[in-house]
Amino acid sequence: MRHTESDLRDFLAEHARHRTGGEPSPQLDAIVRRGRRMRRTRRAATAVTATALAVTAAGLVNGLVAGPPRAQHAAVAQRPVDMAQVKTGPELPGEFHVVLGAEEYDLPLLHSERFATTGVGRTVTFAPTSFSTGYKVVCDDPRAWVVTVLPLKGGETGGTAGRCTGRGGGHHDELSAPSGWLKGPQSLQVWVFPADAPVREAAKALTDCRPAPESRSKGCDDESVQARALMRPRVRERLSALVGERPGRWAVGVYDRPAGGTP
């Protein structure tokens, strides 16, 4: 039940008359004034508390929506990038040096591709701009095995096989380039196998490990014989099945004269 101020005043006056013999208490007005002050103080405190709660709630909502304070954003924006963590893989040289008899010249990089796995064959397609076209493969692990295959003059295929030492190959004049070399896109096939790939086992299982005629090799234990065996499609297929696809970064670059340059 709620009481108005008049009800309280009448009640206090009646109570005072009983205690003082019928005369109102001189402290009645002081009590009423003190009650009014207490109510005003409570209202003010309640208003301050409500305002503080509203501000706190707004800050929490803004924090959830807008994220961290602006100062933290500035600190993150000004943080330098750790270039050591940005890795793109092995770097290709910008030029391919050609020695053709008494002539020497450099071919600029025409086309490049990067890969992040080994153990499977890749086909690189490019449009040659001259009859002097070279290629080079570089690997994160220079001991990785690399096989390259491309068309030759007579229509057959050839290429190179061995460790990834950065050596390359290609055609360097019109006499060595296949017919129709400049009539459309050409392809280079590349296989990169891990350094510990069981090349010897794959070669021994599918070939008789015959060395080159001029070699004194004793068979499959010789890496040069293993490299020759890798030029055979069946050996590459066998080795790829044994090792599977593994992580390993490498890149291949195709080099050629600028279009319209000196033949």
Side-chain angles (χ1 to χ4, degrees), residues 75-174:
V76 172
Q78 295 174 2
R79 187 178 302 161
V81 177
D82 186 358
M83 296 305 295
Q85 296 179 356
V86 181
K87 297 181 179 180
T88 58
E91 290 298 325
L92 285 162
E95 295 179 328
F96 183 92
H97 188 66
V98 176
V99 178
L100 190 63
E103 185 183 7
E104 294 189 27
Y105 53 90
D106 292 320
L107 299 175
L109 183 63
L110 171 70
H111 176 78
S112 66
E113 294 188 24
R114 295 184 174 276
F115 301 93
T117 58
T118 63
V120 293
R122 306 288 187 178
T123 299
V124 178
T125 303
F126 58 94
T129 56
S130 77
F131 290 107
S132 184
T133 307
Y135 62 86
K136 184 171 290 191
V137 178
V138 293
C139 314
D140 260 355
D141 184 356
R143 294 288 297 164
W145 287 95
V146 175
V147 184
T148 59
V149 175
L150 76 166
L152 299 179
K153 181 71 175 179
E156 70 277 15
T157 59
T160 61
R163 298 290 185 176
C164 189
T165 58
R167 293 180 299 175
H171 312 296
H172 302 308
D173 56 29
E174 189 173 355

Side-chain angles (χ1 to χ4, degrees), residues 5-251:
E5 182 179 317
S6 298
D7 296 334
L8 294 174
R9 181 187 290 274
D10 293 340
F11 174 75
L12 291 173
E14 183 67 24
H15 181 70
R17 288 192 190 96
H18 284 296
R19 296 192 60 179
T20 59
E23 294 295 328
S25 170
Q27 295 182 353
L28 177 61
D29 291 337
I31 292 173
V32 172
R33 288 194 299 272
R34 183 164 44 189
R36 289 174 179 171
R37 284 198 302 271
M38 290 175 65
R39 285 196 300 274
R40 286 197 298 268
T41 301
R42 290 194 186 99
R43 290 178 187 143
T46 301
V48 170
T49 302
T51 301
L53 290 174
V55 171
T56 301
L60 289 174
V61 172
N62 290 337
L64 291 173
V65 174
R70 185 174 299 174
Q72 293 182 7
H73 283 299
V76 172
Q78 295 174 2
R79 187 178 302 161
V81 177
D82 186 358
M83 296 305 295
Q85 296 179 356
V86 181
K87 297 181 179 180
T88 58
E91 290 298 325
L92 285 162
E95 295 179 328
F96 183 92
H97 188 66
V98 176
V99 178
L100 190 63
E103 185 183 7
E104 294 189 27
Y105 53 90
D106 292 320
L107 299 175
L109 183 63
L110 171 70
H111 176 78
S112 66
E113 294 188 24
R114 295 184 174 276
F115 301 93
T117 58
T118 63
V120 293
R122 306 288 187 178
T123 299
V124 178
T125 303
F126 58 94
T129 56
S130 77
F131 290 107
S132 184
T133 307
Y135 62 86
K136 184 171 290 191
V137 178
V138 293
C139 314
D140 260 355
D141 184 356
R143 294 288 297 164
W145 287 95
V146 175
V147 184
T148 59
V149 175
L150 76 166
L152 299 179
K153 181 71 175 179
E156 70 277 15
T157 59
T160 61
R163 298 290 185 176
C164 189
T165 58
R167 293 180 299 175
H171 312 296
H172 302 308
D173 56 29
E174 189 173 355
L175 295 177
S176 62
S179 59
W181 183 249
L182 298 179
K183 293 183 179 179
Q186 302 294 335
S187 295
L188 171 69
Q189 292 179 294
V190 185
W191 288 261
V192 176
F193 296 101
D196 61 351
V199 179
R200 178 183 178 278
E201 288 74 8
K204 193 170 183 179
L206 297 173
T207 74
D208 57 3
C209 293
R210 288 172 294 180
E214 69 279 4
S215 172
R216 296 182 180 179
S217 169
K218 296 182 179 180
C220 284
D221 291 332
D222 193 323
E223 282 199 356
S224 65
V225 177
Q226 296 173 24
R228 285 173 59 86
L230 282 173
M231 293 303 300
R232 303 182 182 184
R234 290 182 61 214
V235 176
R236 292 194 300 268
E237 293 172 3
R238 170 75 173 177
L239 186 61
S240 182
L242 289 174
V243 301
E245 190 169 0
R246 298 186 191 177
R249 295 180 304 178
W250 57 278

